Amino acid sequence: MKVNIWVAVIVLLIGLWDLYTAYNRYQKHKVTTKEIQSDSINGTKKLLTGIPSDSKVDIISFTILGVVFTITGIILFFMI
């Protein structure tokens, strides 16, 4: 099966863009997200830093799609 080189380039670029987007979202949420949780027994407050679960889903989705598209783009280059 013959594959056009432009298809391989576009698929590879989309995969790399997805990985780049996932990394940027991870860095943005890692630094800016803070939650304050109060302990009702001792009356103390704890500062928790973490990524909210909805953002984790976004990051994981972009990472999976990025890996799939990048591997597919590399395979398509070998099919040219």
Side-chain angles (χ1 to χ4, degrees):
M1 177 185 204
K2 186 99 172 151
V3 178
N4 192 352
I5 190 165
W6 294 112
V7 173
V9 169
I10 290 171
V11 170
L12 185 62
L13 287 177
I14 289 173
L16 293 175
W17 178 79
D18 280 343
L19 289 174
Y20 174 75
T21 304
Y23 180 74
N24 280 341
R25 286 184 183 215
Y26 174 74
Q27 291 297 324
K28 183 176 87 172
H29 289 293
K30 184 175 83 169
V31 173
T32 60
T33 303
K34 296 181 181 178
E35 296 179 13
I36 298 177
Q37 180 183 24
S38 61
D39 187 5
S40 61
I41 297 171
N42 297 332
T44 60
K45 291 187 177 182
K46 298 178 183 176
L47 183 63
L48 301 175
T49 57
I51 300 173
S53 61
D54 60 338
S55 296
K56 285 182 185 177
V57 172
D58 292 342
I59 294 167
I60 291 170
S61 301
F62 273 106
T63 304
I64 291 171
L65 284 174
V67 168
V68 168
F69 279 123
T70 303
I71 291 172
T72 305
I74 292 170
I75 291 172
L76 288 176
F77 267 117
F78 288 113
M79 293 177 66
I80 293 176

